[in-house]
């Protein structure tokens, strides 16, 4: 490797640990440098490259800071300190020569006596700044030495310095698994660093970190809120080849996990389940007999039963499949309570579901997050949310109605129940045959299993044709019959097109979206939604279908370099977050309308990751400016079935294929088909759909909520 020494003259670009700069001697350097300073002397190690357009550049892999030795370098270096401009810097160098840095850091009294305009207080501040800067530079270099070569994200070192200060290297040496507290670093990466540092493979620190990783991974990927201890043993053996050796008890004593009845859970998930259970029991302790009746004229028998029973309980669940009259019943209930002067709040998990609820009920509805009043905060580089409404400040409502409750995970449920005052009624509406929430828990199913007062509507009341018939057949595990032709006005609205070749399935989907359905008057972008069981794997995943539909539906859109997006693309937000003053919810959809390319490409040929994406979100309408990097956007021409949960589209198209494997099951098929309002078309292998309808049980989640509600544990 070559070595290059010199002081930085101009920092051309520096962000997220990446630096482009020019040295005083004229060379261009490119590489990873966490906190570069103009005027600072460095030694870089790397290699010379010859860029075809931008000429000779030095790409470095390692560097170290060297304090300037000559007076000219010292003069430039000290101007970083507060109150030290070029004139004052010259005075200092003239007064102290090559000893200037030592005097400034260690003898502020002497500086105050010798330099006009610099008081003792200012001299002490300058001393502190230079000492702190030197300390931070040493910290950064040490961290880069510790973490280099382990494929750790660039933002890790700045995050560690922000979190732990100059103590960061010592803390990482003591316990490299602290890295898992940072966004973007999991156990596997932290374990790679730890083992590279010579950590004991059988040590307690490794075993504790692996245990927490298993619990978090099972929550994130499988939705489990807890695990039996024997299953934890199996997971640890598969991950690191070690038995738990009493580590669960140790972690429970430090408050990281909760242990009960041979079960182990992350402390926050255990706390959330316990809170939901306690709140439900409290709401059920006293009946809530209403002193009025709700009109039942025009209702079927099961709807009348629901209307009668909802008056008797503070918490009640209304459930049922498509076409069974849930919305009509709900509207009758809400109107009846409103007529009695009840203050009513309506909410749903996503913006689309809230908009649909507003349209169906005729009253304003919001997302659950917006109803609770999100208040973002940052911890360990991760934006987290607390809520304005909670135990101290409950929701100002006598009746809270939450639709699409199957989408609500245990943490959001706990936040909701915290905000429901003891005297408030809670009406939960949902379809427990759908997929469970993306987040951990199975709250709707658990509450039903615990015996929370409920009514399931089973009689089909609206004639929406073969879509509704198919959903009810799937729910019961019965054979599904597609329509022989597509004639929605006659109820023939569930069509299948048989094809086994994934490439041909892609082409058929493209033609349906861009030609056949637009010929029927449907907007190809906003009226038609393709949904797939898988996000990335197989040719029929969202990733591949999005690429095809983007090319077909937005061929002239200007490419946003460094991203998969083009101007005019349909996009979806994949995480709850505040962006400036705008709050966006996981599942919000919109259009990419603009991106800031004023610094499109600097003269060194590197794309700066500082541009902003402008998205016009819907339901409700709002505009957000989103960073080019570290965003949570994705193309939305094709969505996963999970992402479509709680929403509906006039036309839904679903690829079905054996390549989806065991992941393709009854709940997924039921949820997918029930998203269609007018037309549902499946394309692929009908046998794969039939096999999925017979496949049950692989989405069952390990939770304790039902047990806690029933047993009071």
């Amino acid at each position: 490797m070559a070595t290059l020494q010199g002081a930085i003259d101009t920092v051309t670009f520096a962000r997220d640990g990446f630096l482009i700069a020019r040295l005083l001697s004229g060379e261009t350097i490119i590489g990873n440098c966490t906190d570069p300073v103009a005027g600072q002397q460095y030694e870089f190690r790397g290699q010379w490259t010859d860029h075809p357009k931008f000429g000779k550049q030095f790409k470095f892999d390692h560097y170290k800071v060297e304090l300037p030795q000559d007076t000219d370098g010292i003069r430039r270096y000290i101007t970083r300190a507060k109150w030290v401009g070029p004139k004052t810097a010259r005075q200092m160098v003239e007064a102290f020569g090559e000893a200037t840095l030592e005097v400034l850091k260690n003898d502020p009294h002497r500086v105050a006596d010798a330099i006009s305009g610099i008081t003792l207080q200012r001299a002490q501040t300058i001393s502190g700044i230079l000492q702190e800067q030197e300390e931070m530079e040493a910290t950064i270099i040490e961290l880069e030495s510790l973490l280099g070569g382990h494929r750790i994200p660039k933002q890790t070192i700045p995050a560690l310095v922000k979190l732990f200060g100059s103590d960061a290297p010592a803390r990482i040496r003591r316990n490299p698994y602290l890295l898992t507290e940072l966004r973007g670093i999991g156990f596997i990466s932290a374990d790679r660093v730890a083992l590279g540092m010579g950590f004991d493979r059988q040590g307690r620190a490794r075993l504790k970190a692996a245990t927490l990783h298993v619990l978090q991974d099972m929550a994130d990927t499988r939705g489990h809120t807890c695990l039996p201890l024997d299953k934890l043993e199996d997971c640890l053996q598969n991950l690191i080849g070690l038995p738990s050796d009493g580590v669960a008890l140790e972690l429970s004593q430090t408050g990281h996990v909760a242990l009960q009845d041979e079960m182990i859970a992350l402390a926050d998930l255990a706390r959330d389940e316990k809170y939901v259970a306690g709140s439900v029991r409290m709401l059920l302790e006293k009946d809530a007999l209403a002193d009025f009746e709700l009109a039942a004229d025009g209702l079927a028998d099961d709807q009348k039963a629901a209307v009668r029973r909802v008056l008797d309980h503070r918490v009640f669940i209304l459930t049922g499949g498509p076409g069974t009259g849930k919305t009509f019943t709900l509207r009758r209930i809400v109107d009846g309570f409103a007529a009695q002067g009840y203050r009513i709040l309506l909410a749903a998990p996503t913006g689309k579901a809230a908009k649909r609820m507003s349209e169906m009920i005729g009253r304003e509805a919001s997302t659950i997050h917006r109803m609770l009043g999100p208040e973002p905060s940052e911890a360990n580089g991760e934006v987290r949310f607390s809520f304005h409404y909670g135990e101290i400040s409950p929701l100002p409502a006598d009746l809270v109605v939450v639709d699409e409750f199957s989408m609500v995970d245990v943490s959001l449920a706990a936040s909701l129940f915290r905000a429901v005052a003891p005297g408030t009624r809670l009406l939960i509406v949902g379809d427990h045959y759908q997929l469970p929430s993306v987040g951990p828990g199975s709250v709707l199913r658990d509450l039903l299993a615990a015996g929370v007062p409920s009514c399931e509507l089973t009689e089909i009341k609206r004639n929406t044709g073969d879509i509704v018939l198919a959903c009810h057949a799937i729910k019961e595990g019965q054979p599904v019959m597609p329509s022989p032709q597509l004639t929605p006005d006659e109820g023939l609205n569930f069509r299948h097109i048989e094809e086994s070749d994934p490439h041909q399935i892609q082409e058929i989907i493209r033609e349906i979206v861009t030609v056949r359905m637009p010929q029927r008057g449907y907007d190809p972008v906003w009226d038609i939604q393709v949904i797939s069981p898988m996000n990335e794997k197989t040719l029929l995943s969202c990733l591949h279908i999005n690429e095809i539909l983007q090319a077909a539906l937005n061929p002239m859109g200007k490419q946003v370099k460094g991203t998969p997006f083009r101007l005019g693309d349909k996009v979806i937000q994949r995480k709850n977050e505040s962006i400036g003053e705008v709050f966006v919810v996981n599942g919000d959809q919109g259009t990419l309308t603009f991106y800031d390319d004023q610094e499109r490409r600097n003269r060194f040929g590197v794309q700066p990751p500082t541009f902003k994406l402008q998205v016009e979100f819907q339901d409700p309408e709002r505009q957000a400016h989103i960073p080019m990097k570290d965003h949570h956007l994705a193309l939305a021409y094709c969505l996963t079935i999970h992402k479509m949960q709680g929403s509906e589209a006039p036309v839904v198209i679903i690829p079905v294929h054996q390549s989806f494997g065991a992941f393709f099951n009854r709940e997924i098929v039921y949820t997918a088909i029930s998203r269609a309002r007018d037309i549902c078309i499946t394309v692929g292998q009908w046998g794969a759909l039939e096999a999925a309808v017979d496949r049950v049980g692989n989405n069952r989640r390990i939770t304790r909520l039902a047990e806690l509600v029933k047993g009071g544990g």
Side-chain angles (χ1 to χ4, degrees):
M1 297 183 72
T3 299
L4 177 65
Q5 292 178 316
I8 292 178
D9 179 28
T10 305
V11 175
T12 306
F13 174 77
R15 184 176 289 272
D16 296 330
F18 185 72
L19 170 69
I20 306 168
R22 184 177 292 278
L23 301 183
L24 282 172
S25 50
E27 297 92 343
T28 297
I29 57 168
I30 296 178
N32 294 324
C33 180
T34 301
D35 190 19
V37 177
Q40 174 70 62
Q41 187 81 18
Y42 293 89
E43 179 181 285
F44 301 99
R45 294 176 60 208
Q47 59 185 354
W48 288 101
T49 62
D50 194 5
H51 193 281
K53 182 175 180 181
F54 302 103
K56 199 171 184 182
Q57 302 171 332
F58 190 80
K59 290 190 174 181
F60 63 90
D61 298 309
H62 305 279
Y63 73 93
K64 65 179 181 179
V65 178
E66 296 182 335
L67 291 177
Q69 303 298 316
D70 61 277
T71 55
D72 193 43
I74 292 171
R75 177 178 54 78
R76 287 190 300 272
Y77 180 82
I78 62 177
T79 55
R80 72 176 66 186
K82 192 176 182 180
W83 296 301
V84 181
K87 181 179 178 181
T88 303
R90 281 196 302 272
Q91 291 177 344
M92 290 178 174
V93 170
E94 289 171 359
F96 308 120
E98 293 181 354
T100 299
L101 282 177
E102 290 302 314
V103 173
L104 289 177
K105 286 188 291 185
N106 302 316
D107 199 349
H109 286 85
R110 185 178 171 190
V111 175
D113 291 341
I115 307 300
S116 62
I118 299 295
T119 64
L120 177 59
Q121 183 179 5
R122 288 188 175 184
Q124 290 170 336
T125 301
I126 293 169
S127 171
I129 290 172
L130 293 176
Q131 289 181 11
E132 181 182 356
Q133 184 65 42
E134 190 172 333
E135 191 176 66
M136 283 299 102
E137 287 167 350
T139 297
I140 290 166
I141 296 296
E142 194 172 355
L143 286 172
E144 289 179 339
S145 175
L146 283 173
L147 303 179
H150 293 295
R151 302 191 298 279
I152 298 297
K154 294 177 183 178
Q155 66 269 22
T156 300
I157 291 175
L160 285 171
V161 171
K162 184 177 180 181
L163 190 61
F164 300 128
S166 60
D167 195 36
R171 296 192 64 161
I172 296 303
R173 280 197 172 90
R174 285 195 298 270
N175 183 10
Y177 298 102
L178 284 174
L179 290 168
T180 59
E181 297 180 13
L182 300 179
R183 176 183 173 186
I185 300 191
F187 171 79
I188 302 301
S189 296
D191 195 45
R192 191 163 53 238
V193 172
L195 296 180
M197 292 169 56
F199 253 63
D200 184 0
R201 287 180 175 271
Q202 300 184 8
R204 305 305 288 177
R206 187 177 190 229
L207 195 52
K208 289 178 182 178
T211 300
L212 294 175
H213 166 76
V214 165
L215 294 174
Q216 189 65 61
D217 183 62
M218 284 294 180
D220 293 341
T221 62
R222 303 292 297 276
H224 302 325
T225 60
C226 55
L227 285 180
L229 288 174
D230 57 355
K231 187 171 181 63
L232 173 67
E233 292 286 350
D234 293 341
C235 292
L236 286 175
Q237 285 289 345
N238 291 333
L239 180 64
I240 58 174
L242 295 175
S244 65
D245 193 23
V247 74
L249 181 60
E250 291 179 37
L251 287 170
S252 70
Q253 292 170 344
T254 59
H256 288 86
V257 305
L259 288 175
Q260 188 170 359
D261 302 331
E262 295 300 308
M263 302 289 284
I264 182 171
L266 291 171
D268 57 343
L269 292 179
R271 185 167 54 248
D272 287 340
E273 278 197 321
K274 189 172 183 178
Y275 191 91
V276 171
S279 298
V280 170
R281 292 198 309 272
M282 180 187 67
L283 289 170
L284 293 175
E285 280 176 0
K286 296 180 181 179
D287 55 23
L289 299 175
D291 56 2
F292 63 93
E293 295 291 330
L294 293 176
D297 54 296
L299 298 179
D301 289 343
D302 56 355
Q303 291 173 309
K304 290 177 181 177
V307 166
R308 284 194 301 269
R309 293 192 63 202
V310 76
L311 294 169
D312 299 337
H313 306 284
R314 292 203 182 280
V315 58
F316 188 80
I317 301 173
L318 177 64
T319 185
T324 57
K326 283 200 310 292
T327 300
F328 187 80
T329 307
L330 177 59
R331 185 166 60 229
R332 183 67 63 88
I333 292 170
V334 169
D335 288 345
F337 276 94
Q340 298 297 317
Y342 276 64
R343 297 171 300 164
I344 300 171
L345 289 175
L346 307 180
T350 67
K352 270 200 166 185
K355 181 183 180 183
R356 180 167 171 260
M357 189 181 190
S358 297
E359 293 170 348
M360 296 295 117
I361 306 301
R363 297 175 183 273
E364 183 181 354
S366 71
T367 64
I368 300 172
H369 285 84
R370 290 190 182 92
M371 179 180 71
L372 296 177
E375 296 177 342
S377 60
E378 185 174 340
N380 298 350
E382 188 80 24
V383 176
R384 299 178 181 178
F385 290 93
S386 57
F387 294 102
H388 173 76
Y389 291 106
E391 290 177 300
I392 297 175
S393 179
L395 289 165
D398 304 305
L399 173 65
V400 175
V401 183
V402 182
D403 198 4
E404 296 290 352
F405 205 81
S406 63
M407 298 178 65
V408 176
D409 63 32
V410 69
S411 297
L412 183 55
S415 296
L416 172 66
F417 276 97
R418 286 188 186 97
V420 175
T424 298
R425 293 173 182 264
L426 177 62
L427 175 55
I428 292 169
V429 184
D431 183 353
H432 59 292
Y433 296 104
Q434 289 188 31
L435 287 167
S437 57
V438 175
S442 187
V443 182
L444 179 59
R445 292 177 183 174
D446 286 349
L447 294 181
L448 289 168
V452 172
S454 65
C455 184
E456 180 178 356
L457 305 180
T458 57
E459 179 186 335
I460 298 176
K461 302 174 183 70
R462 61 181 168 93
N463 181 19
T464 54
D466 290 337
I467 291 174
V468 167
L469 294 176
C471 288
H472 285 269
I474 293 166
K475 181 182 71 173
E476 302 299 331
Q478 300 298 318
V480 183
M481 297 298 294
S483 306
Q485 61 189 40
L486 193 59
T487 313
D489 292 343
E490 299 176 11
L492 304 176
N493 56 8
F494 176 43
R495 189 81 172 93
H496 176 73
I497 301 173
E498 184 70 17
E499 177 57 61
S500 60
D501 182 356
H503 292 284
Q504 288 301 313
I505 294 172
Q506 290 178 343
E507 178 58 26
I508 292 169
I509 290 174
R510 185 198 63 77
E511 184 182 356
I512 293 171
V513 172
T514 61
V515 180
R516 298 189 196 179
M517 290 300 106
Q519 287 175 347
R520 291 175 175 261
Y522 291 104
D523 182 285
V525 175
W526 295 106
D527 289 343
I528 306 169
Q529 185 62 61
V530 182
I531 52 179
S532 170
M534 310 195 80
N535 194 38
E536 294 184 355
K537 297 178 181 179
T538 87
L539 289 171
L540 301 176
S541 66
C542 292
L543 174 67
H544 294 287
I545 295 177
N546 267 318
E547 291 175 350
I548 292 168
L549 294 180
Q550 181 193 50
L553 295 172
N554 192 20
M556 305 303 292
K558 185 178 181 181
Q559 185 71 43
V560 182
K561 293 180 180 176
T563 78
F565 307 125
R566 300 175 183 176
L567 290 185
D569 273 338
K570 178 183 179 183
V571 295
I572 186 170
Q573 172 73 11
R574 296 182 295 181
K575 186 175 183 180
N576 302 328
E577 61 181 341
S578 283
I579 305 171
E581 299 297 318
V582 179
F583 182 64
V584 289
V585 177
N586 185 359
D588 280 350
Q589 295 183 35
T591 303
L592 178 60
T593 56
F594 178 75
Y595 75 101
D596 176 11
D597 62 350
Q598 293 179 20
E599 303 174 77
R600 177 189 302 273
R601 182 177 293 274
N602 65 45
R603 61 195 179 95
F604 297 107
V606 176
Q607 179 79 29
T610 57
F611 308 155
K612 302 290 185 182
L613 304 171
Q614 180 175 292
V615 177
E616 303 285 346
F617 283 105
Q618 301 179 349
D619 307 325
E621 293 182 359
R622 60 218 185 278
Q623 185 182 96
H625 293 91
I626 298 172
M628 185 77 75
K629 294 188 68 177
D630 297 325
H631 60 73
H632 299 98
L633 293 174
L635 291 171
Y637 302 106
C638 180
L639 299 176
T640 62
I641 295 167
H642 248 128
K643 285 296 181 191
M644 192 60 182
Q645 194 173 355
S647 302
E648 70 172 16
V651 179
V652 167
I653 303 167
I654 311 162
V656 292
H657 199 266
Q658 62 184 7
S659 61
F660 294 145
F663 181 77
F664 200 33
N665 58 45
R666 182 181 298 178
E667 292 165 329
I668 286 180
V669 175
Y670 177 87
T671 303
I673 294 174
S674 63
R675 299 307 90 204
R677 189 184 72 198
D678 301 343
I679 294 173
C680 181
I681 302 174
T682 55
V683 184
Q685 298 171 310
W686 185 253
L689 185 145
E690 290 180 318
V693 172
D694 291 336
R695 194 177 291 123
V696 294
N698 59 339
N699 267 324
R700 295 295 175 253
R701 296 182 169 186
I702 304 172
T703 67
R704 294 193 68 235
L705 180 56
E707 175 188 341
L708 291 171
V709 173
K710 289 188 289 188

